[in-house]
Amino acid sequence: MTTAWERPQAGALFVVSGASGSGKTTLLKRVFARVPGLQFSVSATTRGIRAGEADGVDYHFVDIPTFQRLRDQGDLLEHAEVYGRHYGTPREPVEHALGQGLSVVLDIDVQGARQVRRSHPSAVSIFILPPSVGTIKDRLVTRGTDSAEVIARRVREAEEQLSACGEYDYLVMNDDLETATQVLEAVVLAELSRTSRRARWVKLFA
Ligand code: 5GP
């Protein structure tokens, strides 16, 4: 991406899902480094913090009563229980960024994606596919952050998540990291090049 990239006047809401171990987090970090003007939505979760994660950066790590309060006050754009823990997207930062013309990326599960599609029909949904279910297991084991029991549950739930991939606008196969990064970047850039988001150029040239 060159520095001549101009942000669109109207941002997009990107919903990215993919099973744990699909390489989604790595892929997203690479696209963030390449496309300026994307804002990552930091979710609230009741799961414990992992090594290498920072509170307020990767997640807002909260206790169950705090999560329930946020949910009951309507402060979450969507929420779901994933792997026995609560996860939810704080509403205000997303609405604020979209209001400013920025684009927002939500890294959320299939249940959350369904809720966002209902509340924001123009959201662009992308599913990251692993080359195989076996790859998911290998990646979770290599990551070394989860116990054998947690890994077994995550593989089962990964299969469930995968079965919903047909609901998404775009599929990105993450068999080769660089190729997958290019495909995801292409989807993001194409969506941000929609005429409906480029009022300035229409006014300038049309
Ligand atoms: P992890 O605990 O491995 O970071 O994430 C587990 C799963 O929860 C991932 O599939 C991730 O996309 C999903 N997730 C993370 N944040 C949210 C959220 O705010 N809402 C929903 N519905 N899912 C989330």
Side-chain angles (χ1 to χ4, degrees), residues 16-20 24 43-45 47 50 53 59 78-80 82-83 87-90 107-113 115 143 154 161:
V16 182
S17 302
S20 241
K24 185 180 46 173
S43 296
T45 183
R47 86 146 159 77
R50 288 189 195 127
E53 288 182 330
Y59 283 101
E78 60 73 38
H79 58 88
V82 187
Y83 312 122
Y87 292 83
T89 302
D107 169 351
I108 62 176
D109 84 320
V110 163
Q111 309 164 70
Q115 295 168 44
R143 188 163 78 184
R154 285 186 173 236
Q161 296 272 314

Side-chain angles (χ1 to χ4, degrees), residues 15-18 108-118 120-129 159-172:
V15 177
V16 182
S17 302
I108 62 176
D109 84 320
V110 163
Q111 309 164 70
R114 289 185 184 133
Q115 295 168 44
V116 174
R117 274 195 214 96
R118 278 199 294 276
H120 293 72
S122 63
V124 179
S125 61
I126 306 164
F127 197 96
I128 312 297
L129 291 167
E159 288 171 327
E160 265 174 53
Q161 296 272 314
L162 275 169
S163 66
C165 71
E167 298 171 17
Y168 285 71
D169 298 317
Y170 295 95
L171 299 177
V172 176

